[in-house]
């Protein structure tokens, strides 16, 4: 490790460069301490659900709002369009995979009913492993249930929102309408949901519209027992065997349609 520069030269004169470097580092250290300390108090005041959320708030304490309006930025349309097309192609592949799974029966290995996830990390780890199987993802969403999803992603569901919409649209059965609605409602009540919806791809928005349309076709009014508490995965999840869907609350459907459309 190289020796630190002395603020006083050998001849007794001040080393202004070294002095400036020391002062700058101390000022930066003090500013970092103040930012992180304020972030800790903010996190406690917000009553975050997990230590991971607390840590993320502290780690992001240095982030500042953009000075320019994002709408005024000169973004490259080709890059944005290319990214959107790639995501749409991925969603289309997932739809084809779901259709193939429905025609051959439930996929083996990824769809077994498991214990509900206990933490957001556990949910995210399993969720990523089911990327290629919308039916398994639908079952996993139903297994987690709206209460756990609200707890895990209350500070923002942007990390799973698009994929969850695809899974609910292509992997769930019509008989799961009440649980689908409860999950969509829970995700819609998370923080920054409006911003998360703005960044959805065309395929993901279409999935939301399709899922809500299927739910709306069930009609009726949801009873509290249909959406309250932790969900249990029905055996028909991901395959429509003609079971009658539980009634749903059309007022909630209309509110979510206005949000996603």
């Amino acid at each position: 490790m190289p020796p630190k520069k002395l603020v006083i030269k050998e001849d007794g004169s001040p080393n202004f460069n070294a002095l400036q470097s020391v002062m700058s580092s101390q000022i930066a250290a003090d500013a970092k301490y103040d930012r992180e300390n304020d972030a800790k108090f903010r996190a406690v005041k917000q009553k975050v659900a997990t230590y991971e959320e607390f840590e993320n708030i502290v780690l992001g304490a240095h982030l500042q709002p953009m000075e320019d309006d994002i709408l005024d930025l000169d973004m490259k349309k080709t890059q944005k369009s290319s990214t959107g097309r790639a995501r749409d192609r991925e969603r289309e592949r997932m739809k084809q995979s779901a259709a193939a799974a429905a025609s051959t029966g439930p996929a083996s290995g990824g769809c077994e009913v498991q214990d509900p996830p206990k933490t957001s990390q556990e949910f995210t780890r399993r969720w990523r492993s089911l990327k290629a199987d919308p039916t398994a993802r639908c079952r996993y969403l139903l297994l987690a249930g709206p209460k756990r999803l609200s707890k895990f992603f209350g500070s923002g569901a942007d990390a799973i929102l698009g994929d969850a919409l695809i899974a609910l649209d292509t992997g769930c059965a019509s008989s799961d309408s009440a649980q689908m609605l409860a999950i969509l409602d829970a995700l819609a009540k998370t923080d920054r949901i409006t911003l998360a919806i703005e960044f959805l791809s065309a395929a993901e928005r279409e999935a939301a519209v399709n899922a809500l349309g299927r739910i709306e076709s069930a009609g009726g009014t949801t009873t509290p027992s249909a959406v309250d508490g932790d969900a249990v995965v029905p055996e028909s999840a991901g395959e429509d065997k003609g079971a009658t869907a539980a009634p749903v609350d059309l007022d909630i459907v209309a509110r979510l349609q206005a949000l996603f459309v």
Side-chain angles (χ1 to χ4, degrees):
M1 181 176 180
K4 295 182 179 179
K5 292 183 179 180
L6 298 176
V7 296
I8 302 297
K9 297 180 180 179
E10 294 181 357
D11 60 2
S13 61
N15 186 341
F16 290 106
N17 290 335
L19 183 61
Q20 183 179 13
S21 177
V22 171
M23 291 182 63
S24 297
S25 63
Q26 289 298 321
I27 292 173
D30 289 343
K32 179 183 178 182
Y33 174 84
D34 291 339
R35 286 196 308 268
E36 293 183 349
N37 196 49
D38 291 342
K40 292 175 183 178
F41 280 106
R42 267 199 322 275
V44 172
K45 186 176 180 181
Q46 293 175 14
K47 299 180 180 179
V48 295
T50 64
Y51 178 77
E52 182 186 28
E53 295 177 19
F54 176 89
E55 185 180 33
N56 288 338
I57 291 177
V58 175
L59 292 176
H62 64 287
L63 300 177
Q64 298 293 330
M66 295 181 62
E67 296 181 357
D68 299 325
D69 191 330
I70 191 171
L71 297 178
D72 295 334
L73 296 179
D74 185 17
M75 302 178 68
K76 295 182 179 179
K77 293 184 179 180
T78 54
Q79 180 179 0
K80 181 179 179 182
S81 176
S82 176
T83 301
R85 287 195 298 269
R87 294 179 70 182
D88 289 347
R89 287 195 297 269
E90 175 66 19
R91 304 309 175 200
E92 186 62 30
R93 282 195 295 268
M94 291 179 68
K95 285 185 177 181
Q96 293 174 358
S97 174
S103 63
T104 59
S108 60
C111 298
E112 295 90 345
V113 175
Q114 305 176 13
D115 293 332
K118 297 180 177 61
T119 64
S120 60
Q121 295 93 328
E122 181 182 346
F123 176 91
T124 302
R125 185 167 56 251
R126 180 60 178 163
W127 179 256
R128 289 174 178 171
S129 72
L130 300 174
K131 180 179 180 180
D133 192 343
T135 301
R137 278 190 161 183
C138 167
R139 292 177 64 86
Y140 197 54
L141 286 172
L142 301 184
L143 178 66
K147 283 191 174 181
R148 288 190 183 86
L149 292 174
S150 296
K151 179 181 178 181
F152 296 160
F153 302 102
S155 60
D158 47 294
I160 69 163
L161 181 61
D163 290 334
L165 294 174
I166 294 291
L168 291 172
D169 175 33
T170 63
C172 292
S174 299
S175 56
D176 301 325
S177 295
Q179 287 179 290
M180 291 168 60
L181 181 61
I183 289 171
L184 284 169
D185 191 32
L187 294 176
K189 292 177 180 177
T190 57
D191 293 346
R192 305 189 304 274
I193 184 61
T194 303
L195 181 61
I197 292 174
E198 288 293 327
F199 284 94
L200 291 177
S201 69
E204 291 163 347
R205 285 178 175 272
E206 182 183 0
V209 173
N210 292 341
L212 287 168
R214 291 171 55 203
I215 294 171
E216 184 179 25
S217 67
T221 303
T222 303
T223 57
S225 61
V227 295
D228 289 349
D230 296 329
V232 177
V233 181
E235 293 183 358
S236 61
E239 44 180 317
D240 193 348
K241 296 182 179 181
T244 303
V248 298
D249 190 332
L250 296 182
D251 290 337
I252 298 178
V253 174
R255 172 167 55 81
L256 294 177
Q257 285 175 330
L259 181 64
F260 282 101
V261 175

